[in-house]
Amino acid sequence: MGKYTIITFIKYFIKVIDMKPEQGEERREIRRANQARIARLIMEAGSISKGEIAARLGFSMPTTLQHIRELTEAGYVMESGEYGSTGGRKAKMLSIVGDMGFGAGMEITENYISYVLVNLKKQLIRKARIRLPFSRDFSYYESIGNWLQVFLEQTGVEQKKILGVGIALPGMVDPKEKLLIHSHVLHAEHVSFKRFESMVGYPCIVDSDAGGAAYMELSGENRDGVYLSLNDMVGGAVWMNHALYSGDDFRGAQFGHMRIEKNGRSCYCGSKGCLDAYCSTRALTGEDRSLEGFFGMVKKREPEYIRRWDEYLDSLAMGVVNLRCMFGCDVVLGGEVGAYLNDFRKDLDRKVMEYDRLDPDTSFLRIGKCLPESSACGVAVRFTDRFFDRL
């Protein structure tokens, strides 16, 4: 060991000895925070190289390698493959170990409960759906709690790895108070889920079904977006500055009650001309009540169904352009009707362009993944997204 190396080591040793306890704790906090940043980046990217991590977070390569080594030894990160060769050594792909933690989700509807379990990679591990009509009776909450326990036991996941349970509700929700403020679908007001949290023994969050689906579609993106949910009722959510925007008194994003026609069709809210009266599944299918049957007739070119679908697309295009004008960001279409829209994208684009004379480019309009479990998965991944906050 050279003279200067020995002197450097002695200086460092003396510095460590003289370090105050609070300085040591501060260093540890910085270390934990940096490791959490790396872990979250890997989780959002799905797979990423060490070099990309260093470049995107502004860390030196030695610092990055040290953090990754510690995360790997702790079981959070693993090598998941190699990138293609560029002439030198192939870069290793890093991924999160998915089974370190899980989030559970529930979606409550008028007649059914859907349960899901997702891992740290936001992958759907298991799902189940049972028929259970909504009720305000205490026995209803006991039932959904008991079914939740059965569902989680069937997954085979250790209880300590369940990070929490998210609950998606059809209506206006106060997440802080875990309160369903109002739901036209459930015909209920001021329903609290605080007691449910203590019943099931897991941390719980509540959100609207549209908020859950929007989170699943838009979280992790580095841009704002508006989500329009096309189900039995038209709902929505706003993703702004990496979070859902709820507005004053949680009244934001009620896009179903955006007026598109003066003195138009009657809406369940008591007004006329609301988007919901034109773009809900009820407005589209009428007495048929089956989207699959409706679109089957559209594909057969049945004149009445073609007319109804054309009117629907016209109203939807008007709503999309209004949202684009108000928010100036991407508009994502989801829900049950959204699952059919890819087949009619050109027709929708043409109508959007007819209404939007300011911008002929329709690339802002996106069709979401439209998974049946989007709302339940969206509230479940809230817990997995927070997993690395506790490193």
Side-chain angles (χ1 to χ4, degrees), residues 107-125:
E107 182 182 9
I108 293 177
T109 64
E110 185 177 11
N111 292 305
Y112 291 90
I113 307 287
S114 294
Y115 296 95
V116 300
L117 188 73
V118 298
N119 65 11
L120 291 185
K121 295 182 178 182
K122 297 186 180 181
Q123 295 170 328
L124 177 61
I125 301 303

Side-chain angles (χ1 to χ4, degrees), residues 150-165:
V150 170
F151 170 74
L152 293 178
E153 288 174 7
Q154 290 176 343
T155 66
V157 173
E158 297 177 71
Q159 185 174 355
K160 66 180 181 181
K161 289 188 175 183
I162 306 296
L163 307 174
V165 180

Side-chain angles (χ1 to χ4, degrees), residues 110 132-141:
E110 185 177 11
L132 187 66
F134 176 79
S135 169
R136 296 199 62 163
D137 295 340
F138 185 74
S139 60
Y140 176 81
Y141 301 97

Side-chain angles (χ1 to χ4, degrees), residues 213-234:
Y215 192 92
M216 193 64 184
E217 295 280 359
L218 298 169
S219 65
E221 296 193 359
N222 292 319
R223 56 188 179 188
D224 296 339
V226 172
Y227 180 79
L228 186 63
S229 175
L230 304 169
N231 291 308
D232 278 348
M233 294 197 318
V234 176

